[in-house]
Amino acid sequence: MPKTAFITGVTGQDGAYLAEFLLKKGYIVHGLKRRSSSLNTDRIDHLYLDPHAKNPNFVLHYGDLTDSTNLIRIIQEIQPDEIYNLAAMSHVKVSFDTPEYTANADGIGTLRILEAIRLLGLSQKTRFYQASTSELYGLVQEVPQTERTPFYPRSPYAAAKLYGYWITVNYREAYNIFASNGILFNHESPIRGETFVTRKITRAVSKIALGMQDTLFLGNLSAKRDWGHAKDFVKAMYLILQHDTPDDFVIATGKTTEVREFVRMAFREAGAEIEFKGQGVEEIGIIASSTGEFAEKLRVGSTVVRIDPRYFRPTEVDLLIGNPQKAKDLLGWEPKYDLAMIVKDMMESDLKLMTKDKYLKDGGFNVHNYFE
Ligand code: NAP
Ligand code: GDD
């Protein structure tokens, strides 16, 4: 019998990669999708089958993490072997604007699923994965961060995820549910949400290189993140649920890089070297040299990066760097992508997207098989 997985957040970056990954492993995959007035399934359209097809292996259900009755009904119907709880209001800056909703969806939403597993008598059948985050470390108490590093959340998002983390541990200990946390550090890809900093940068650099935009406005350029590729990270989620015992794992690359350096790397992919000058909100990024296909638009001396304080956060997480040794030792997990490969992957994709007629007309993007 093929295994059945239920993925919340299936329309997001990780949900899309994970769905494709599990389908390739022969799973039947059910996904939770929110109703929206415009289509929100771009990332998974290539996986979707006509609902009238016989025995489809990929099925979408309308629902929301803030609605327990709907979660209970869907989980009862599916009787999943594995649940991956990836749904969340996942933007740290936006969580300062919507703190109560973020707590409801990201914190209590986790509890709702765990309670559904318990109430439906699935405690011994269903394995549960919680999308925990390196944001839990916030004002870091130790460098690098491990599974034993104390948490110090610095945003409503991180505080909500802190609840999600501990309620997962509690249901494991109280009810013997196979419930595990993946403490994932930042992971990116060509289908990363457009307002996270890496994708904002690769999209803007592509547009600047093509003469469609003049300036990229950013917030804190000095923040450091441990950036991996989402493809590597969804494999870790799967491995966490295949382990003999439920446990919590840091998933990271072990290297950290400044936002400023990510900007340099992205422009380099388009053929330009950026020099940063000035301090604080007056800091600017100027094109120091350029060669190749886009040199005409990437004019030497032009200012292409500026600071906009609106992107600063009331409390910032300055430095994240994880130690994934436990995942390497116990799960045999090893990332394939380094940051240079990630930037290349994202820049190649965004340069292509920006030149596509379809993209220019309606903002759609190309659909591909992620693991091919
Ligand atoms: P994402 O692209 O923002 O996707 C989030 C998903 O959650 C989307 O499918 C979204 O639906 C859905 N969602 C949001 N609120 C919901 C609600 N109330 N009910 C049901 N679905 C809801 O995030 P991601 O980057 O794939 O991350 C996946 C998970 O890992 C998130 O929980 C995130 O917090 C966590 N995480 C991410 C990273 C990272 O670097 N990417 C690192 C650590 C942890 P719509 O498409 O309708 O918006
Ligand atoms: N989004 C954004 N936009 N961030 C900026 C900008 C900007 O214009 N300028 C500088 N930054 C800085 C942020 O202040 C932060 O320090 C860093 O870039 C990364 O920001 P994001 O890409 O928004 O990601 P994040 O680290 O806050 O959160 C992501 O990673 C977490 C794991 O550590 C999200 O995916 C979270 O859901 C995830 O838990």
Side-chain angles (χ1 to χ4, degrees):
M1 282 288 280
K3 277 194 191 171
T4 300
F6 178 42
I7 303 175
T8 71
V10 75
T11 56
Q13 169 188 256
D14 293 4
Y17 279 115
L18 182 66
E20 186 180 310
F21 180 79
L22 293 179
L23 285 167
K24 291 211 158 114
K25 290 219 165 282
Y27 277 60
I28 295 171
V29 176
H30 293 259
L32 186 76
K33 155 185 137 81
R34 294 195 289 184
R35 194 268 157 183
S36 66
S37 64
S38 4
L39 293 177
N40 62 354
T41 54
D42 275 3
R43 293 185 176 103
I44 49 171
D45 279 343
H46 64 299
L47 304 174
Y48 193 63
L49 297 171
D50 184 331
H52 305 102
K54 263 198 187 160
N55 305 322
N57 59 357
F58 184 53
V59 184
L60 294 180
H61 304 258
Y62 280 113
D64 199 294
L65 276 199
T66 58
D67 180 347
S68 349
T69 53
N70 133 280
L71 291 170
I72 292 170
R73 181 179 49 72
I74 295 169
I75 294 171
Q76 182 170 32
E77 244 172 68
I78 303 173
Q79 300 275 312
D81 298 296
E82 296 170 8
I83 297 180
Y84 295 86
N85 182 32
L86 310 187
M89 202 309 288
S90 71
H91 203 283
V92 173
K93 174 71 163 53
V94 174
S95 78
F96 288 95
D97 301 326
T98 60
E100 184 182 337
Y101 171 72
T102 304
N104 190 0
D106 300 14
I108 310 294
T110 310
L111 172 70
R112 292 187 180 101
I113 298 182
L114 287 163
E115 261 302 274
I117 293 175
R118 191 172 78 87
L119 294 173
L120 294 168
L122 294 172
S123 304
Q124 296 312 305
K125 173 181 167 75
T126 303
R127 295 185 171 203
F128 176 79
Y129 172 89
Q130 169 59 10
S132 284
T133 165
S134 49
E135 280 291 302
L136 295 173
Y137 299 116
L139 189 62
V140 297
Q141 304 293 297
E142 187 180 32
V143 177
Q145 293 87 54
T146 72
E147 293 79 4
R148 288 176 308 285
T149 304
F151 297 140
Y152 195 131
R154 293 270 279 176
S155 63
Y157 166 78
K161 285 281 188 178
L162 186 74
Y163 179 82
Y165 173 92
W166 281 117
I167 202 67
T168 300
V169 173
N170 182 248
Y171 271 55
R172 175 166 83 216
E173 293 174 353
Y175 305 116
N176 203 21
I177 296 177
F178 192 113
S180 299
N181 284 289
I183 308 171
L184 271 53
F185 283 62
N186 298 51
H187 44 282
E188 318 296 315
S189 75
I191 57 163
R192 179 63 146 149
E194 289 85 350
T195 59
F196 297 100
V197 78
T198 56
R199 187 77 197 290
K200 180 172 168 184
I201 294 168
T202 58
R203 275 168 57 89
V205 172
S206 302
K207 284 190 171 183
I208 293 169
L210 291 160
M212 295 158 63
Q213 182 176 327
D214 297 325
T215 316
L216 162 62
F217 287 93
L218 291 170
N220 177 10
L221 296 179
S222 301
K224 292 173 112 180
R225 288 292 181 275
D226 179 333
W227 279 300
H229 199 296
K231 273 192 197 174
D232 284 329
F233 281 45
V234 298
K235 283 185 200 161
M237 296 176 187
Y238 164 77
L239 290 173
I240 287 171
L241 286 200
Q242 311 316 307
H243 192 49
D244 341 329
T245 45
D247 205 343
D248 308 315
F249 293 92
V250 160
I251 305 297
T253 70
K255 297 208 169 73
T256 194
T257 307
E258 271 189 8
V259 171
R260 194 180 281 104
E261 180 57 17
F262 192 102
V263 174
R264 283 198 197 97
M265 292 171 81
F267 271 104
R268 214 167 277 144
E269 282 297 319
E273 282 300 323
I274 299 295
E275 206 176 292
F276 284 94
K277 290 187 173 161
Q279 296 288 319
V281 290
E282 303 303 329
E283 184 169 356
I284 51 172
I286 296 174
I287 298 185
S289 65
S290 65
T291 52
E293 192 183 344
F294 307 110
E296 195 196 322
K297 303 288 183 197
L298 297 170
R299 275 176 298 104
V300 174
S302 50
T303 300
V304 282
V305 183
R306 289 186 187 278
I307 304 300
D308 183 340
R310 95 175 70 176
Y311 300 117
F312 292 157
R313 295 162 182 197
T315 39
E316 175 63 293
V317 172
D318 294 317
L319 164 71
L320 291 174
I321 175 166
N323 177 351
Q325 201 55 50
K326 181 176 170 184
K328 289 186 178 187
D329 292 345
L330 298 187
L331 306 176
W333 179 78
E334 193 73 51
K336 289 201 178 119
Y337 282 79
D338 64 16
L339 187 58
M341 291 160 78
I342 297 168
V343 177
K344 191 173 167 46
D345 193 21
M346 294 177 73
M347 279 301 297
E348 274 178 8
S349 172
D350 275 332
L351 278 167
K352 248 189 258 163
L353 289 183
M354 298 306 163
T355 43
K356 278 192 108 172
D357 289 345
K358 181 175 179 315
Y359 180 83
L360 294 177
K361 256 195 267 129
D362 63 20
F365 65 90
N366 67 336
V367 160
H368 42 280
N369 289 322
Y370 306 126
F371 286 93
E372 277 174 11

